[in-house]
Amino acid sequence: MYELEGNYWWYVILHELTEHYVKKLSKAGSLKMFDAGCGTGQLMTRLKPYGVVNGMDISEDAINFCAKRKLENAKLGNLNTWEPLCDEYD
């Protein structure tokens, strides 16, 4: 996934569509975003110019790739059991 995200059609289209709509929303100001199941962090990287992006993934390998991308806001966790603190992702 880490190697394919930049040029495989599925990821390219998904990320372009997401960025298109986030860009529209960001005109009102800086956004706070959460990437549930952030994978290796390519989408988080693309969305950083529009505000603060936090991510979570169940895969330790995925989080290690996020660290390779220098994404400090990507955390290891299971979304099925996660109970966020009110200010955890402020």
Side-chain angles (χ1 to χ4, degrees):
M1 182 178 188
Y2 181 81
E3 293 173 5
L4 294 176
E5 281 182 308
N7 57 21
Y8 185 66
W9 69 270
W10 172 256
Y11 297 116
V12 171
I13 291 170
L14 177 66
H15 294 168
E16 285 178 1
L17 281 170
T18 303
E19 186 175 5
H20 171 79
Y21 287 104
V22 166
K23 188 176 184 176
K24 280 184 167 185
L25 290 172
S26 72
K27 292 180 182 178
S30 185
L31 301 175
K32 292 182 182 178
M33 297 165 277
F34 181 67
D35 188 355
C38 63
T40 64
Q42 178 69 23
L43 182 60
M44 288 180 67
T45 300
R46 288 184 67 150
L47 297 180
K48 281 175 70 172
Y50 307 104
V52 177
V53 185
N54 294 288
M56 182 179 286
D57 201 282
I58 197 168
S59 167
E60 190 171 344
D61 289 336
I63 297 302
N64 289 336
F65 280 113
C66 288
K68 196 171 182 177
R69 294 186 198 273
K70 307 210 182 325
L71 296 169
E72 297 174 5
N73 294 343
K75 295 183 180 182
L76 182 65
N78 184 336
L79 292 166
N80 294 311
T81 59
W82 175 55
E83 294 185 29
L85 302 172
C86 291
D87 60 349
E88 183 175 10
Y89 284 105
D90 279 350

